[in-house]
Amino acid sequence: ERLAARDSGAVVDARPLMGDLKAMQTQGESLPLKSEEGIELAAAAAAAAAWTERLKKILVRPRSSAGVHAIAVDDPATALALIAATIRAAANDLEGTGEPPESEEGQFCLCRQPGGREMLACDECGDWYHLRCAGVTAAFARTTKSYNCPACCAAHGDVFKLNKPDVVYKHIHRTRRPALAVLGEMMLEAMEFGGRLPEEDQLAEVFREHAAWRDAVASAMKRKAETAAIAAVATAAEDAAAAAAEAYAEVRGAREAREKGARDRHAAVQAAQASAGATAMA
């Protein structure tokens, strides 16, 4: 609510940048006396530094745990920018295009990185996945007749396919996966500081992108439901047409049987008459 109020202009954030406060605190330390303002600035700078360090622990993965596609991230600002970009890409890529990576620009796979040689397409969503990220071998990719990606499997209820830490996170996650509630608590704490931290604006961007993603998911689900309803109507129409065709075939068959019977009887009568005439002449 506070973020929405600030975005709408109902609340104006007039706080100075925390960097400016730190600069003032540094200048105050050079003065030949102590002041209450200097002590407050020092406390604010220390609180901001502690907050940034806690945010780093929440977001940044140890460099040693990065996988083949997990380019190391060393600071909260980069991690937040990556999270926001990933959520944005997920919202824009809810529906796969089915085009191979070589002919389409953008991000692919669960790692949201560019395409490559060793990739496999999902038969359901059409997106392309690095074999290592998907946890499959090149031999499997060559011989399999169909493949459903971890995201589609999770959408159908097999959440473990997407939450397998030894297969998925090990290779693709470049940051930790903080709970949205935890980031919300950090955001509220930052908004109470006397100065505005740059990560605060990035956190706000993450929440905006997440809200846009939720709207995109709801829209996609609505489209899917509408498509399913249209498909059901089309199927019902096809079934009705098939039933009508079957009924018409039965009626036509019965009519043809009657016509054949009439022809057969007429032929029998003609044959009988011819036979009687021949007998009479004899």
Side-chain angles (χ1 to χ4, degrees):
E1 291 177 353
R2 293 179 63 179
L3 181 59
R6 192 174 70 176
D7 290 342
S8 66
V11 176
V12 178
D13 190 351
R15 293 176 300 160
L17 296 177
M18 185 59 73
D20 294 339
L21 293 183
K22 289 181 179 180
M24 292 176 62
Q25 187 252 337
T26 302
Q27 292 177 355
E29 289 179 347
S30 63
L31 297 177
L33 51 84
K34 290 185 177 181
S35 65
E36 294 182 2
E37 292 81 0
I39 295 174
E40 291 179 359
L41 287 173
W51 181 90
T52 302
E53 187 61 29
R54 282 192 291 119
L55 184 63
K56 181 178 180 179
K57 291 180 179 179
I58 291 172
L59 295 174
V60 177
R61 289 185 66 186
R63 181 179 285 269
S64 59
S65 67
V68 64
H69 292 297
I71 302 172
V73 173
D74 296 319
D75 60 277
T78 303
L80 287 172
L82 177 61
I83 291 173
T86 302
I87 297 173
R88 190 181 309 114
N92 293 335
D93 199 30
L94 277 173
E95 296 182 358
T97 63
E99 294 294 328
E102 291 78 11
S103 62
E104 182 183 19
E105 295 181 358
Q107 298 173 324
F108 299 89
C109 188
L110 296 170
C111 64
R112 311 314 303 164
Q113 298 299 305
R117 282 187 173 183
E118 295 188 342
M119 298 191 76
L120 182 63
C122 175
D123 292 331
E124 185 168 346
C125 69
D127 205 354
W128 290 76
Y129 293 83
H130 300 108
L131 301 187
R132 185 173 178 82
C133 293
V136 300
T137 63
F140 173 86
R142 287 193 301 269
T143 59
T144 187
K145 295 182 179 179
S146 64
Y147 172 71
N148 282 9
C149 69
C152 289
C153 291
H156 290 299
D158 192 358
V159 181
F160 188 63
K161 290 285 187 183
L162 199 59
N163 288 339
K164 231 175 180 180
D166 58 333
V167 175
V168 179
Y169 298 158
K170 179 180 178 181
H171 301 307
I172 67 173
H173 281 284
R174 299 167 60 186
T175 70
R176 294 187 186 275
R177 300 183 68 239
L180 199 65
V182 173
L183 294 183
E185 292 173 358
M186 295 296 290
M187 178 74 180
L188 290 175
E189 185 176 342
M191 294 174 76
E192 295 299 326
F193 288 146
R196 194 170 72 252
L197 290 161
E199 292 86 357
E200 181 181 335
D201 293 334
Q202 289 185 295
L203 280 170
E205 183 66 17
V206 167
F207 280 96
R208 293 188 194 98
E209 294 296 346
H210 184 265
W213 173 80
R214 293 183 62 180
D215 292 342
V217 169
S219 178
M221 294 298 292
K222 182 179 179 180
R223 289 195 304 270
K224 185 175 181 180
E226 292 172 349
T227 302
I230 294 172
V233 172
T235 301
E238 291 176 357
D239 293 342
E246 185 177 351
Y248 173 74
E250 292 179 358
V251 172
R252 182 178 179 180
R255 185 183 65 188
E256 291 176 348
R258 289 195 301 271
E259 292 175 350
K260 183 177 183 299
R263 288 195 300 270
D264 292 343
R265 288 192 297 274
H266 181 69
V269 169
Q270 287 182 335
Q273 290 176 345
S275 177
T279 301
M281 289 177 65

